[in-house]
């Protein structure tokens, strides 16, 4: 009898020893839809982390502004409302001016240049995020930003008085320079804003056009390749440091993989999205050469304003970008 009891006790304590501790769970907030390629990439990142840590770290993705609004995500993570987040880097420019370096018109004209710029921008971004209690994990660019319009654009006067959709300070300033009225519309509401007649044109990727099926109202798309903005994924330093060193290394490895995967996906989608716009009846055209010159001059004015207002940190990025 005594033996039986002993055996039963051993079995109980063994089963206790075999029960793994509950996983650490991170909530990751993003302002984009679950189907967006950025979010899909985050979901793969989350699966990779879960697999590498054997289920010890679970990252739950909360898409579509449900946990925090796109522009508030960095603050929400810093304040501990979520452990991790993704936002478009330019949403941080008020706090971290160099976050805007990737949205200066006509600086970057290709993915290669975008990558070069990111290498120069990354150390400063890491430092600024760290001082706000955030650890940068990775970035992925949106496809190049083009001009979508309901009417053909032949000259600067075609922008005058139009409702131009904006998504950050850069696009707002550009709308002002063009003499249009800026209308702030989150990416996920673009279809609705078009249907309600609240906007006539916008500068964003063809991919965002496709995701929002803009072809009911948008009839023209001009591939002006204005800039390549990036989304950035980060975690609270506190949550990151609470992991043991092997788990931290696994998160960083998964982040590096997510960055490479995302850059490749963005490039492939850029081509497909323009074709999809075309096959839905949107005319893909070139803007007249003279207008292109005028818009580029505006871009230069914008960069001058930007470098002047940001100062030495801007020079630290652009001097090597242009001269090395
Ligand atoms: N789509 C996002 C940001 C850049 C892009 O291509 C948007 O339009 O809000």
């Amino acid at each position: 009898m005594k033996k039986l009891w002993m055996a039963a006790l051993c079995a109980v304590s063994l089963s206790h020893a075999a029960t793994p501790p509950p996983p650490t769970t991170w909530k990751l907030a993003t302002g984009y839809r679950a189907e967006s390629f950025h979010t899909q990439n985050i979901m793969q990142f989350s699966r990779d982390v879960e697999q590498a840590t054997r289920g010890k770290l679970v990252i739950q993705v909360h898409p579509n502004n449900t946990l925090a609004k796109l522009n508030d995500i960095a603050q929400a993570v810093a304040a501990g409302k979520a452990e991790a987040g993704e936002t478009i880097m330019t949403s941080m420019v008020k706090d971290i001016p160099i976050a805007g370096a990737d949205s200066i018109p006509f600086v970057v004209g290709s993915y290669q240049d975008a990558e070069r710029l990111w290498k120069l921008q990354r150390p400063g971004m890491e430092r600024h995020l760290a001082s706000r209690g955030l650890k940068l994990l990775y970035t992925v660019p949106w496809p190049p930003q083009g001009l979508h319009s309901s009417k053909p654009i032949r000259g600067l006067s075609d922008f005058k008085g139009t409702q131009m959709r904006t998504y950050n300070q850069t696009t707002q300033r550009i709308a002002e320079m063009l003499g249009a009225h800026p209308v702030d519309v989150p990416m996920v509401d673009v279809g609705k804003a078009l249907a309600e007649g609240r906007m006539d044109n916008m500068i964003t990727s063809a991919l965002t056009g496709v995701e929002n099926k803009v072809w009911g109202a948008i009839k023209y798309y001009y591939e002006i390749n204005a800039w390549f903005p990036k989304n950035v994924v980060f975690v609270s330093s506190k949550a990151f440091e609470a992991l043991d060193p092997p788990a931290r290394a696994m998160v960083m490895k998964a982040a590096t993989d997510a960055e490479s995967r995302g850059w490749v996906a963005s490039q492939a989608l850029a081509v497909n999205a323009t074709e999809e716009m075309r096959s839905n009846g949107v005319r893909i055209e070139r803007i007249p050469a003279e207008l292109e010159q005028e818009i580029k001059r505006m871009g230069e004015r914008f960069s001058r304003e930007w470098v002047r207002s940001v100062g030495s940190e801007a020079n630290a990025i652009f001097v090597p970008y242009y001269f090395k």
Side-chain angles (χ1 to χ4, degrees):
M1 193 60 182
K2 198 175 167 202
K3 262 195 187 158
L4 257 181
W5 269 110
M6 288 293 282
L9 273 177
C10 281
V12 168
S13 59
L14 269 180
S15 78
H16 263 291
T19 311
T24 300
T25 305
W26 287 355
K27 292 195 283 287
L28 187 151
T30 175
Y32 298 104
R33 296 185 183 99
E35 313 82 62
S36 283
F37 91 99
H38 283 106
T39 316
Q40 290 292 316
N41 195 34
I42 293 174
M43 288 177 179
Q44 183 63 51
F45 164 70
S46 148
R47 284 192 292 274
D48 289 352
V49 166
E50 198 165 330
Q51 200 175 27
T53 62
R54 302 206 177 154
K56 280 202 261 170
L57 175 59
V58 174
I59 302 176
Q60 288 171 349
V61 183
H62 295 255
N64 218 0
N65 302 301
T66 45
L67 200 60
K69 295 241 179 306
L70 184 73
N71 292 338
D72 304 331
I73 289 178
Q75 269 152 350
V77 174
K81 283 193 202 135
E83 286 77 14
E86 180 208 43
T87 188
I88 188 160
M89 218 147 76
T90 48
S91 76
M92 304 178 179
V93 289
K94 270 205 197 109
D95 246 12
I96 309 176
I98 57 157
D102 62 18
S103 296
I104 311 298
F106 309 114
V107 168
V108 160
S110 68
Y111 278 90
Q112 242 179 355
D113 284 352
E115 210 172 327
R116 222 155 49 76
L117 181 74
W118 174 225
K119 288 213 172 93
L120 295 165
Q121 194 187 14
R122 182 167 195 145
M125 280 308 294
E126 282 180 339
R127 213 174 38 247
H128 282 291
L129 288 176
S131 72
R132 285 158 181 81
L134 301 173
K135 174 154 184 72
L136 193 152
L137 293 175
Y138 68 88
T139 62
V140 171
W142 286 92
Q145 306 292 286
L147 173 63
H148 301 243
S149 178
S150 57
K151 302 228 168 69
I153 301 279
R154 307 264 180 259
L156 279 183
S157 60
D158 291 324
F159 290 103
K160 290 258 160 3
T162 59
Q163 304 290 322
M164 187 168 211
R165 180 252 165 176
T166 60
Y167 65 78
N168 59 14
Q169 279 188 347
T170 307
T171 43
Q172 223 168 39
R173 181 76 189 106
I174 288 170
E176 283 162 14
M177 282 179 170
L178 292 168
H181 299 298
V183 192
D184 179 30
V185 178
M187 193 276 215
V188 293
D189 294 334
V190 164
K192 200 165 141 240
L194 279 170
E196 290 170 358
R198 282 194 283 130
M199 51 181 275
D200 304 307
N201 48 39
M202 63 178 165
I203 297 180
T204 187
S205 58
L207 183 63
T208 289
V210 169
E211 244 195 64
N212 289 288
K213 298 194 170 51
V214 296
W215 33 81
I218 296 294
K219 302 293 181 202
Y220 298 85
Y221 180 66
Y222 303 90
E223 293 183 284
I224 57 172
N225 271 8
W227 64 89
F228 291 62
K230 292 186 291 288
N231 280 4
V232 57
V233 179
F234 46 84
V235 58
S236 92
S237 313
K238 206 168 128 200
F240 185 76
E241 277 148 28
L243 300 175
D244 57 30
R248 286 183 216 165
M250 286 164 193
V251 170
M252 292 319 288
K253 159 83 172 65
T256 307
D257 293 348
E259 181 155 303
S260 324
R261 195 171 53 233
W263 281 68
V264 172
S266 177
Q267 201 158 354
L269 286 166
V271 180
N272 295 348
T274 307
E275 281 320 306
E276 202 168 335
M277 294 276 278
R278 193 197 308 274
S279 67
N280 280 288
V282 177
R283 292 172 65 162
I284 315 295
E285 294 192 354
R286 285 194 71 95
I287 51 170
E290 202 180 318
L291 176 61
E292 192 166 353
Q293 280 313 311
E294 280 170 310
I295 292 188
K296 292 221 157 125
R297 265 201 295 279
M298 231 170 250
E300 280 161 23
R301 208 174 109 202
F302 186 99
S303 343
R304 272 198 306 276
E305 281 180 7
W306 188 81
V307 171
R308 209 174 297 137
S309 72
V310 176
S312 63
E313 278 193 279
N315 286 328
I317 295 173
F318 285 127
V319 171
Y321 179 81
Y322 282 116
F323 301 109
K324 280 190 190 155

